[in-house]
Amino acid sequence: MNFDMTEEQQMIKSMVAEFAEKEIVPVAAENDLNEKFPWSIVKKMGELGIFGTVIPEEYGGGGFDNIAHAIVAEELGRVDSSVRGIYSVQVSLVALTILKWGNEEQKKKYVPRLASGEILGCFGLTEPNSGSDAVSMQATAVEDGDSYILNGNKMWITNGGVADIALIFAKTDKNAGARGITAFIVDTKTPGFSTRDIHQKLGLRSSNTAELILTDVRVPKENILGEVGKGFKVAMSALDFGRYTVAAGCVGLAQGCYDVAKKYALERVQFGKPIAGHQLIQEMFADMIVDIEAGRLLVYRVGHLKNKGVPNTREVCVAKLFCSEMVNRVAYKALQVFGGYGFSGEFPIERYYRDARINTLYEGTSQIQKLIIANKDLGISAF
Ligand code: CAA
């Protein structure tokens, strides 16, 4: 085992950290307040090759490894979870999923443009009445000549209102359960495809979250991703990528919470000394340090498994479960350190605390992660 970062990983870390400080930090609070999608940041991330970090060079990326991919999510998450979420969906749920399941033509057509940020992608699995029970989706795809006609609604879709392409999962056979679902790459400009932005979220307020409405959307058969009836596997494998960068983003966000709390605790004087010198405050810092370090190790272990190309669903879920719960514990303690000041928008901890909350909910709730982990070990499905 080697716990050292490679030169390449260190280089990515400093590059993204510098970008985050210079380009994201100055506008993050304002974008959050105004629910403003960070278009200029997204454009610059594309130009700098940040979206392409883990994409192979032959598809326009930087060809870095999976740990570098986590490091990008961590560094973005440290300052702005909205931007980290945009990155996760674009790269993990969409680009890597097309790379894994797409044919050569699809990979060449979409992946370089996702890597450069020329186009944005979103991932349409969840529906108004189908969340944890993803197989119960109601969206349909009916064969019609050389196309399929898609109908249905997709809910809580990150990047949904700004995406150029959407991965849409729909039933091609209503009686075949998970094996009746097919994945499609849908151009969002196709007639019948519309979106409705969702506002006033608790957190991630500068990322776009939307409902997708598909009414008789004609999608050519060449846009099937993978095979007919294999769409559920496509979705689940996408979540193996997506949950990885959620976990990494949680480590980054927890680090961000820690960093601002540390600065404050060293400056704020009560009872005649900086509050960092009080034992009950120190206990909270020790808890935060242990939590963040444990989470980071779990994430990098998954990166190591991904680099080796071995199955890692169980380990991804362990990391996602731990890190998403962990960041809420850390955000709570970090805000506690600030006392009343933490409750105001004067310090970023207020935004960090709100942004932490989504992580135990999306890309599979903590309860779903637990069921997958237990099922994998016990060999008995709870479903
Ligand atoms: N990779 C590839 N295939 C997989 C897989 C994986 N990780 N996990 C399961 N599969 C395959 C299985 O092998 C099985 O295939 P076969 O029929 O050929 O054997 C098939 O998928 C069905 O698997 P299960 O029987 O395990 O499926 P299930 O219905 O019992 O339960 C579940 C699955 C774990 C509950 C799943 O539905 C799940 O993860 N639910 C949560 C959904 C979720 O995370 N949604 C978040 C959406 S993304 C989001 O949040 C929006 C955003 O924009 C960020």
Side-chain angles (χ1 to χ4, degrees), residues 232-370:
F232 195 68
K233 279 183 191 290
V234 176
M236 290 299 111
S237 77
L239 289 168
D240 285 347
F241 296 127
R243 289 166 182 163
Y244 175 55
T245 33
V246 170
C250 288
V251 173
L253 174 56
Q255 186 67 54
C257 292
Y258 177 88
D259 292 345
V260 293
K262 179 176 169 183
K263 183 170 185 294
Y264 183 80
L266 288 168
E267 286 167 2
R268 170 79 169 170
V269 174
Q270 290 291 279
F271 301 106
K273 62 178 175 182
I275 60 170
H278 294 300
Q279 287 187 352
L280 290 178
I281 299 284
Q282 292 200 343
E283 184 191 37
M284 290 196 282
F285 276 94
D287 288 345
M288 288 193 269
I289 290 166
V290 173
D291 253 350
I292 295 167
E293 292 193 1
R296 186 173 285 123
L297 288 173
L298 285 174
V299 169
Y300 292 177
R301 174 181 69 152
V302 176
H304 173 68
L305 294 175
K306 286 188 184 294
N307 286 345
K308 286 207 300 185
V310 298
N312 51 74
T313 302
R314 173 187 173 281
E315 289 76 13
V316 167
C317 291
V318 169
K320 201 277 189 180
L321 172 63
F322 182 84
C323 293
S324 61
E325 295 287 341
M326 173 280 280
V327 73
N328 280 281
R329 289 194 293 273
V330 169
Y332 179 92
K333 284 176 186 142
L335 195 146
Q336 194 69 17
V337 168
F338 278 88
Y341 284 104
F343 201 64
S344 76
E346 192 176 334
F347 293 96
I349 189 62
E350 177 264 346
R351 171 168 55 90
Y352 293 172
Y353 180 83
R354 287 187 286 104
D355 282 347
R357 192 62 190 85
I358 186 65
N359 293 293
T360 66
L361 307 172
Y362 70 178
E363 303 210 22
T365 59
S366 290
Q367 288 67 29
I368 286 293
Q369 309 306 318
K370 286 180 185 176

Side-chain angles (χ1 to χ4, degrees), residues 85 89 93 100-101 122-126 131-135 155-159 178-179 230 232-240 243 246 313 361-365 368-369 371-372 375-376 381 383:
V89 172
L93 290 179
K100 183 176 167 81
W101 295 91
C122 70
F123 182 79
L125 177 68
T126 302
S132 294
D133 184 6
V135 174
M155 196 64 179
W156 312 123
I157 308 303
T158 305
N159 292 352
R179 292 180 186 187
K230 293 274 171 64
F232 195 68
K233 279 183 191 290
V234 176
M236 290 299 111
S237 77
L239 289 168
D240 285 347
R243 289 166 182 163
V246 170
T313 302
L361 307 172
Y362 70 178
E363 303 210 22
T365 59
I368 286 293
Q369 309 306 318
L371 294 179
I372 299 172
N375 290 351
K376 291 269 170 208
S381 174
F383 307 110

Side-chain angles (χ1 to χ4, degrees), residues 51-103:
F51 286 123
T53 302
V54 73
I55 306 295
E57 285 170 86
E58 61 176 307
Y59 296 106
F64 292 89
D65 77 334
N66 285 284
I67 294 180
H69 179 36
I71 289 169
V72 174
E74 209 180 315
E75 288 305 319
L76 296 174
R78 197 168 54 78
V79 297
D80 191 341
S81 293
S82 291
V83 175
R84 196 278 304 156
I86 295 164
Y87 174 83
S88 283
V89 172
Q90 170 88 344
V91 182
S92 290
L93 290 179
V94 181
L96 291 180
T97 303
I98 295 177
L99 265 181
K100 183 176 167 81
W101 295 91
N103 57 36

